[in-house]
Amino acid sequence: MSDEIAVRPSNFIRQIIDKDLQQGVHETIQTRFPPEPNGYLHIGHAKSICLNFGIAQDYNGTCNLRFDDTNPEKEDIDYVNSIMNDVSWLGFNWDGEVRYSSNYFEQLHDYAVELIEKGLAYVDFSDQDTMREMRGTLTQPGINSPYRDTSVAENIELFTKMRAGEFNEGECCLRAKIDMASSFMCMRDPVIYRVRFAHHHQTGDQWCIYPMYDFTHCISDAIENISHSLCTLEFQDNRRLYDWVIDNISIASQPRQYEFSRLNLEYTVLSKRKLIDLVTDHHVSGWDDPRMPTVAGLRRRGYTPASIREFCARIGVTKMDNLVEMSMLEACIRDDLNVNAPRAMAVLDPIKIVIENYPEDQTEILHAPNHPNDESKGTREVPFTRELYIEAEDFRESANKKFKRLVIDKEVRLRNAYFIKANRFEQDAQGNVTTVYCTYDPDTLGKDPADGRKAKGVIHWVSAQHGVPAEIRLYDRLFNVPNPAAEDDYLASLNPDSLVIKQGVVEPSLANLAVGEGVQFERTGYFCRDSEAQNLTFNRTVGLRDTWSEK
Ligand code: ATP
Ligand code: MG
């Protein structure tokens, strides 16, 4: 093995940065992550976070966390708090204080006045429908507004009145005066300020005019001396407007925008509007439902920050449209937990085993390794008793050779314990097996018997006397089609089996597992202790193998 440190493959943005540094365009690299606080962060945001914060880290630069909060009606302080929490949890530190675009409302207002003074912005009283019609189409140029040639002095007065609350919502707006015939729709005199009598989570009732995203974002970048403003491809056209604003106001800093493709992930949706609908219409239990692709949901599902960062590194950054396989995300957490999660035994669908030749009042403390190939992880105590639980599916009255579990008159090994042989069984009125009577071989603890007998297989178990009841939630994909967003009605493809709840029993060591910690239930999958439930509850993070791809 070479001891070279693995170098992450570069990407086109890093190449641009390398060149900028080489040519002296920038001396320091400054990025930002600019969420709008109108929802929880999802795995797509994680891609942007890893890109922006990762670049800052690798180039000895800094990355700001800036809330892009120009839309007070849709925003909420709860979202602000959850976003800060999620960014920290992912393992990143923003530079200095958290920033808000609303910190710059006064400066943004002054830059708008500057544009008016230069004859580059005007107050328009056209109603929305008229404005839309006059904007034209991709094949038809727009038509100039009758308000386009109002004098500078009059515009200053009107904008002052807008700010003073003398106009109603929708009565007028401030537009940049650019080019109604531009082939870029965003350049056809875009609205840059509108009237909203809305309470803002940061600025309260101080403002009744709010700047639009395209005007706000570039100026906020410039104020913060951002060198590379990285965003997703839907803003490609808007780059013209970004540059136009920066070029036409008196600000020294010249940030540049670069676009990359959004992450789309199979079997889920990443549009905030759809995620909000899933929550408000109770298709899931909340933003942190373990089936949600949100950072909060993934955390509660048992994903680690490292596994999410690893996923973002594996998918890379390009300009190509993509739909990433869910199995790729799952592989990242499986790889992590395979190495790091301790092992334990849990029975999801218990049936009872009675070992008839084992003393009734005896408890033997066995020692089981916490990890099969990492001795440093130590061992744990597992109590063994006459009555045990095993999985219902691990017993059959009779079976062919492929069934390497417990069968009448045949032997299996109980994991970390003895050989047992099944003698007879009882069932209830519905024909479900309730109890299997067995005998054990005391000479098989940690070794095969001297006579060369081999067990057909190994099954897991939990002591009936010492086991702890637990709710075990089997989570699966939220949708049963790879690209639900492409369906006419995405809700119709919700997977009805995305959550199956089991009342199981787990070995006693698991009662002390810390909330959020991952564990491998041997032979069953990777689980984590749920962070919300009162009682002992485990969420399935991912199965042991990629059964979806096998299907
Ligand atoms: P909205 O429709 O509310 O604008 P949004 O998904 O763009 O939703 P923002 O809060 O504006 O949400 O996103 C913050 C940053 O995260 C932006 O720079 C955005 O480009 C990036 N981002 C959002 N979704 C994805 C995604 N699926 N893949 C990569 N980056 C994303
Ligand atoms: Mg956005």
Side-chain angles (χ1 to χ4, degrees):
M1 274 248 285
S2 110
D3 47 2
E4 253 173 66
I5 297 168
V7 177
R8 285 291 171 203
S10 186
N11 59 48
F12 76 98
I13 292 173
R14 284 170 182 255
Q15 285 162 8
I16 290 167
I17 293 175
D18 289 337
K19 203 164 140 215
D20 284 350
L21 287 170
Q22 235 166 40
Q23 300 183 340
V25 180
H26 295 285
E27 276 171 20
T28 53
I29 300 304
Q30 175 96 42
T31 57
R32 86 287 169 265
F33 173 64
E36 183 174 354
N38 61 353
Y40 277 56
L41 296 183
H42 54 61
I43 185 77
H45 292 116
K47 171 177 177 174
S48 175
I49 290 169
C50 289
L51 176 66
N52 279 295
F53 283 92
I55 282 176
Q57 257 168 20
D58 292 355
Y59 287 91
N60 271 322
T62 50
C63 180
N64 293 347
L65 173 61
R66 182 205 312 144
F67 287 102
D68 187 0
D69 56 347
T70 57
N71 218 344
E73 290 122 323
K74 293 195 172 150
E75 296 164 6
D76 197 284
I77 194 74
D78 282 350
Y79 294 135
V80 169
N81 292 331
S82 76
I83 290 170
M84 291 197 285
N85 183 41
D86 287 349
V87 173
S88 301
W89 180 78
L90 282 170
F92 296 107
N93 299 311
W94 51 87
D95 186 54
E97 297 286 309
V98 168
R99 291 145 216 258
Y100 297 86
S101 294
S102 57
N103 292 158
Y104 314 133
F105 278 175
E106 199 62 54
Q107 290 166 80
L108 288 159
H109 167 270
D110 294 349
Y111 286 122
V113 170
E114 181 183 348
L115 287 183
I116 298 173
E117 281 168 346
K118 288 179 171 165
L120 292 175
Y122 60 97
V123 176
D124 196 326
F125 288 84
S126 309
D127 62 66
Q128 293 228 334
D129 289 342
T130 311
M131 265 176 54
R132 190 175 314 119
E133 268 165 41
M134 293 179 79
R135 191 171 292 127
T137 64
L138 285 173
T139 51
Q140 286 273 312
I143 298 165
N144 285 353
S145 161
Y147 300 94
R148 206 175 196 258
D149 295 319
T150 311
S151 73
V152 167
E154 199 176 334
N155 274 314
I156 291 286
E157 198 186 317
L158 290 170
F159 190 53
T160 307
K161 283 185 174 171
M162 264 175 81
R163 181 183 181 169
E166 292 179 31
F167 297 117
N168 294 323
E169 286 187 10
E171 194 177 344
C172 61
C173 60
L174 185 70
R175 296 177 75 176
K177 194 195 243 182
I178 309 180
D179 177 6
M180 289 305 289
S182 171
S183 55
F184 295 101
M185 296 298 283
C186 64
M187 299 297 270
R188 293 186 186 175
D189 291 11
V191 176
I192 58 175
Y193 261 92
R194 53 187 188 145
V195 178
R196 280 288 178 280
F197 291 92
H199 186 83
H200 188 285
H201 51 100
Q202 300 299 320
T203 57
D205 297 315
Q206 211 182 321
W207 292 89
C208 64
I209 52 171
Y210 288 96
M212 301 299 284
Y213 171 86
D214 282 318
F215 182 69
T216 309
H217 198 82
C218 51
I219 297 178
S220 304
D221 282 346
I223 291 172
E224 293 177 11
N225 272 309
I226 302 301
S227 57
H228 297 80
S229 178
L230 313 177
C231 65
T232 36
L233 276 170
E234 68 272 21
F235 294 104
Q236 207 159 13
D237 286 356
N238 302 54
R239 183 174 1 106
R240 276 77 192 176
L241 181 50
Y242 186 106
D243 291 343
W244 184 91
V245 172
I246 295 294
D247 289 347
N248 284 290
I249 61 171
S250 41
I251 197 160
S253 168
Q254 297 282 311
R256 304 286 309 200
Q257 175 184 303
Y258 301 93
E259 309 89 18
F260 61 95
S261 55
R262 297 178 83 83
L263 167 68
N264 299 298
L265 185 62
E266 277 184 346
Y267 298 101
T268 193
V269 290
L270 291 182
S271 126
K272 260 194 232 163
R273 192 184 54 73
K274 292 193 172 85
L275 293 175
I276 288 176
D277 287 349
L278 288 172
V279 173
T280 49
D281 298 343
H282 303 290
H283 297 291
V284 293
S285 65
W287 283 101
D288 68 346
D289 185 298
R291 292 165 291 184
M292 290 282 273
T294 51
V295 173
L298 291 166
R299 173 166 60 233
R300 199 169 157 200
R301 178 79 171 254
Y303 276 78
T304 58
S307 67
I308 296 175
R309 292 194 303 264
E310 173 63 20
F311 172 71
C312 293
R314 286 187 195 176
I315 57 176
V317 175
T318 69
K319 276 182 174 288
M320 268 175 309
D321 253 348
N322 58 73
L323 180 61
V324 174
E325 290 175 10
M326 183 62 111
S327 55
M328 198 151 157
L329 177 61
E330 291 171 343
C332 293
I333 186 62
R334 199 180 282 117
D335 289 354
D336 178 337
L337 295 177
N338 181 34
V339 173
N340 295 309
R343 272 52 172 173
M345 293 191 287
V347 176
L348 277 51
D349 286 306
I351 59 167
K352 198 172 253 185
I353 294 280
V354 178
I355 301 172
E356 293 177 291
N357 61 339
Y358 196 87
E360 238 169 88
D361 50 2
Q362 181 170 315
T363 295
E364 216 176 327
I365 301 297
L366 305 180
H367 293 270
N370 285 328
H371 198 282
N373 32 33
D374 182 356
E375 274 183 29
S376 73
K377 290 202 155 52
T379 59
R380 65 189 191 281
E381 296 185 341
V382 188
F384 187 85
T385 49
R386 176 183 161 95
E387 297 197 354
L388 312 169
Y389 290 115
I390 63 164
E391 297 289 354
E393 64 172 21
D394 283 343
F395 171 72
R396 284 190 205 163
E397 183 178 1
S398 59
N400 65 21
K401 281 203 181 105
K402 276 198 206 149
F403 187 77
K404 296 192 189 314
R405 311 183 215 174
L406 191 62
V407 179
I408 292 293
D409 287 335
K410 303 271 167 59
E411 264 182 326
V412 285
R413 175 177 286 287
L414 291 176
R415 178 112 183 122
N416 302 310
Y418 301 96
F419 276 29
I420 56 167
K421 186 170 149 210
N423 303 319
R424 61 197 167 86
F425 67 97
E426 278 169 4
Q427 51 195 16
D428 61 17
Q430 286 78 46
N432 297 314
V433 173
T434 54
T435 312
V436 185
Y437 294 89
C438 305
T439 42
Y440 88 118
D441 180 347
D443 291 328
T444 52
L445 185 61
K447 59 174 198 252
D448 280 348
D451 62 9
R453 268 158 44 233
K454 295 274 180 242
K456 287 177 15 145
V458 182
I459 63 174
H460 59 275
W461 54 277
V462 170
S463 158
Q465 189 186 335
H466 300 278
V468 184
E471 179 167 306
I472 298 170
R473 299 176 181 164
L474 303 181
Y475 289 106
D476 204 340
R477 295 170 186 195
L478 188 51
F479 292 90
N480 51 28
V481 297
N483 191 5
E487 304 284 305
D488 289 336
D489 173 14
Y490 75 104
L491 291 173
S493 60
L494 274 167
N495 175 6
D497 303 320
S498 61
L499 171 58
V500 174
I501 297 180
K502 300 280 184 185
Q503 300 304 328
V505 53
V506 301
E507 60 167 85
S509 69
L510 286 173
N512 304 319
L513 191 75
V515 160
E517 279 302 294
V519 57
Q520 186 197 98
F521 289 170
E522 292 189 89
R523 300 181 61 235
T524 306
Y526 294 101
F527 290 76
C528 81
R529 175 112 183 238
D530 188 70
S531 54
E532 296 298 316
Q534 298 286 314
N535 298 324
L536 192 58
T537 301
F538 295 90
N539 299 331
R540 180 167 68 195
T541 310
V542 69
L544 293 179
R545 277 177 311 278
D546 182 5
T547 48
W548 273 77
S549 292
E550 284 163 17
K551 268 183 222 167

